[in-house]
């Protein structure tokens, strides 16, 4: 696949490296051309200006902080349709740092806002729940990436990209599930920053479809 990555930070580096290793063509872009060149050199991709990095791409990863999303999408022409027909992966966490409460109003989602800023893009919420070390270090357990989106072909493409980083894709539904997935990330962040293991706060499922305790209702 031809993949464009907007952002040159931890998520961009970790996923970009794995996708290059899986045989994809990856271009990266950031507000710092020097950082984009350095990252491209490290992972074996190419650095381009942001507007060029989204052109003729099968998928674009929006790997910037929530506060930067609107500016970055405007810079690449999202509101003018530059991403129409493109799979746009949203890994953002629009949450209050270290607390986890959502910065998005009731009933909205970050992914939904992104879809509104990039008309025609096939937005898929994915990769927001897991830290970049899941993609850079050997996993000691199976990793599941929960994702959602409205376009079946885009969900298939992102599912392939999930498998290419060694994880299992779990498609949970349309983009109307994004708010829930974003709340879960906020819950995890809130627990982690409070010193609790988020994995210990959810039921342990011993095999698919069977919870070890009484399932929550
Ligand atoms: N780190 C995690 O554990 C994690 C896990 C899952 C999802 N996420 C989400 O993934 C996204 C990227 O996270 P990250 O950890 O990769 O962040 P990061 O390491 O801080 O990198 C952020 C990238 O965005 C750029 N950026 C920051 N502000 C910008 C602005 N105003 N305009 C344009 N570019 C800007 C940064 O450029 P400079 O280098 O020039 O500042 C950098 O390239 C975030 O939305 C985050 O919530 C993070």
């Amino acid at each position: 696949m031809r993949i464009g990555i907007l952002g040159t930070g931890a998520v961009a580096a970790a996923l970009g490296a794995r996708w290059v290793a899986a045989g994809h063509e990856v271009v990266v872009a950031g507000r710092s051309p020097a950082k984009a060149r350095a990252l491209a050199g490290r992972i074996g991709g190419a650095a381009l200006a942001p507007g060029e990095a989204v052109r003729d791409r099968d998928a674009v990863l929006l790997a910037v902080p929530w506060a930067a999303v609107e500016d970055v999408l405007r810079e690449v022409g999202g509101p003018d349709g530059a991403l129409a027909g493109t799979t746009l992966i949203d890994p953002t966490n629009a949450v209050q740092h270290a607390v986890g409460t959502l910065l998005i109003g009731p009933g909205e989602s970050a992914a939904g806002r992104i879809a509104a800023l990039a008309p025609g893009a096939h937005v898929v919420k994915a990769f927001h729940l897991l830290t970049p070390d899941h993609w850079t270090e050997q996993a000691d357990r199976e990793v599941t990436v929960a994702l959602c989106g409205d376009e079946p072909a885009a969900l298939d493409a992102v599912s392939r990209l999930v498998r290419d980083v060694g994880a299992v894709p779990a498609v949970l539904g349309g983009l109307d599930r994004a708010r829930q997935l974003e709340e879960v990330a906020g819950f995890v962040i809130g627990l982690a920053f409070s010193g609790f293991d988020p994995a210990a706060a959810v039921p342990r499922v011993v095999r698919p479809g069977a919870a070890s305790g009484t399932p929550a209702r």
Side-chain angles (χ1 to χ4, degrees), residues 127-206:
F127 296 110
H128 69 303
L129 256 165
L130 294 148
T131 48
D133 53 292
H134 287 81
W135 320 127
T136 55
E137 292 168 16
Q138 189 68 38
D140 57 1
R141 62 181 172 96
E142 184 173 286
V143 174
T144 301
V145 173
L147 54 144
C148 68
D150 288 336
E151 177 62 36
L155 289 169
D156 285 348
V158 179
S159 294
R160 178 179 167 196
L161 293 175
V162 167
R163 283 189 284 270
D164 285 341
V165 299
V168 178
V171 177
L172 289 188
L175 210 60
D176 57 357
R177 291 295 293 272
R179 168 95 190 184
Q180 183 187 49
L181 296 192
E182 292 168 7
E183 288 279 19
V184 172
F187 170 75
V188 167
I189 289 166
L191 283 169
F193 276 90
S194 303
F196 299 99
D197 175 6
V202 293
R204 179 167 168 268
V205 178
V206 290

Side-chain angles (χ1 to χ4, degrees), residues 90 101 115 194:
D90 165 25
T101 47
S194 303

Side-chain angles (χ1 to χ4, degrees), residues 6-12 30-32 35 62-68 71-72 75 91-94 127-132:
L6 298 171
T8 57
V11 170
R31 62 178 169 181
S32 159
K35 285 186 183 177
L62 189 54
V64 297
W66 172 247
D71 285 351
V72 169
E75 185 183 4
T92 65
N93 283 314
F127 296 110
H128 69 303
L129 256 165
L130 294 148
T131 48

